[in-house]
Amino acid sequence: MKAMIFAAGLGTRLKPLTDETPKALLPVGGRPMLEHIILKLKTAGFTHLVVNIHHLGEQIIEFLASKNHFGLHIDISDERDYLMDTGGGIKQAQSFLKGDEPFLVHNVDIFSNIDPGALYRHHLTSDALATLVVSHRQAARRLLFGQEKDNRLYGWRNRNTGEVRSHYPQFDPSKYLEYAFGGIHVISPRIFDLMEEWTGKFSIINFYLSVCAKAPIRPYVQDDLRLMDIGKPEALADAAAWLRDNGLL
């Protein structure tokens, strides 16, 4: 089982902490957030990980080496010369991720009670190109999915600006279910065939919106989902308390 961890972010919202330390290595409850995600994936049965790096990436390489890669096969997707964004980052790592089986993608700064193994197995039983962890949490940017059995991606909207995106004609966002993306998804390897014409830096959400009419992108909704985005300095302490309160630390 393969997984990719997005660890290349600049961590601008976490400045000045990220001036000398990459976001992925900032401690949460005494452990770097990257270590939390790696151990969670290892427990779930993932054996081959890909970690992308950019800002102060050599520190991440040294950290993984100091931990003997946690007994896993860990490849580095090196974006130190140019940050590729989420879609471009996945495409750049395709030499590690290509194969016959799906792979999971996990943001390093997302903590949750999602069972990555259960999510992965759910994807295996579906026809989805990608299965996205989503929730009703407060967020300006929302993904729009069909209702009831028609549970596939149709569009996106920004509640603050009113901007709407969809490749479907006469798209009415009020007729769809709105969810916030949780930064965790499982992707089938055929995605790389659809990415052939996409080059350089691009967003995976923009890519999903461009292909959702011909390849189903489906939501994964967990009723008891608990999820935290570690985006600001005060969130580091909140995250440690959150992990303890939820029995995850």
Side-chain angles (χ1 to χ4, degrees), residues 61-220:
I61 293 173
E62 292 167 1
F63 169 74
L64 293 172
S66 73
K67 297 290 185 177
N68 295 313
H69 288 187
F70 296 91
L72 301 171
H73 181 124
I74 300 182
D75 289 308
I76 296 296
S77 184
D78 196 338
E79 298 180 26
R80 281 178 288 183
D81 288 339
Y82 187 68
L83 188 59
M84 303 298 290
D85 204 343
T86 49
I90 290 170
K91 182 171 182 179
Q92 175 142 320
Q94 67 177 304
S95 62
F96 306 122
L97 298 171
K98 262 191 170 181
D100 298 325
E101 298 297 326
F103 54 91
L104 181 143
V105 177
H106 200 303
N107 288 9
V108 76
D109 55 359
I110 293 292
F111 286 3
S112 78
N113 65 340
I114 284 285
D115 177 346
L119 170 63
Y120 186 90
R121 292 187 293 272
H122 172 85
H123 177 85
L124 289 174
T125 65
S126 78
D127 64 343
L129 175 71
T131 301
L132 283 56
V133 171
V134 297
S135 72
H136 294 290
R137 69 184 175 89
Q138 294 299 314
R141 292 170 290 184
R142 315 285 282 189
L143 295 174
L144 304 172
F145 291 88
Q147 302 190 39
E148 298 178 354
K149 293 183 180 180
D150 185 26
N151 64 334
R152 63 185 294 166
L153 181 66
Y154 278 87
W156 173 98
R157 81 165 171 176
N158 187 317
R159 281 185 165 184
N160 290 346
T161 65
E163 180 186 1
V164 174
R165 299 181 197 166
S166 177
H167 283 268
Y168 288 87
Q170 299 178 332
F171 181 74
D172 181 355
S174 67
K175 295 181 179 179
Y176 297 88
L177 297 174
E178 292 191 1
Y179 292 109
F181 177 44
I184 307 168
H185 33 152
V186 179
I187 304 171
S188 294
R190 67 181 187 274
I191 194 173
F192 295 117
D193 295 330
L194 299 173
M195 278 183 170
E196 285 186 359
E197 296 181 1
W198 289 68
T199 59
K201 177 180 181 177
F202 63 92
S203 159
I204 191 62
I205 295 299
N206 288 344
F207 172 81
Y208 285 156
L209 290 169
S210 76
V211 300
C212 64
K214 56 185 176 183
I217 312 296
R218 302 203 183 277
Y220 183 84

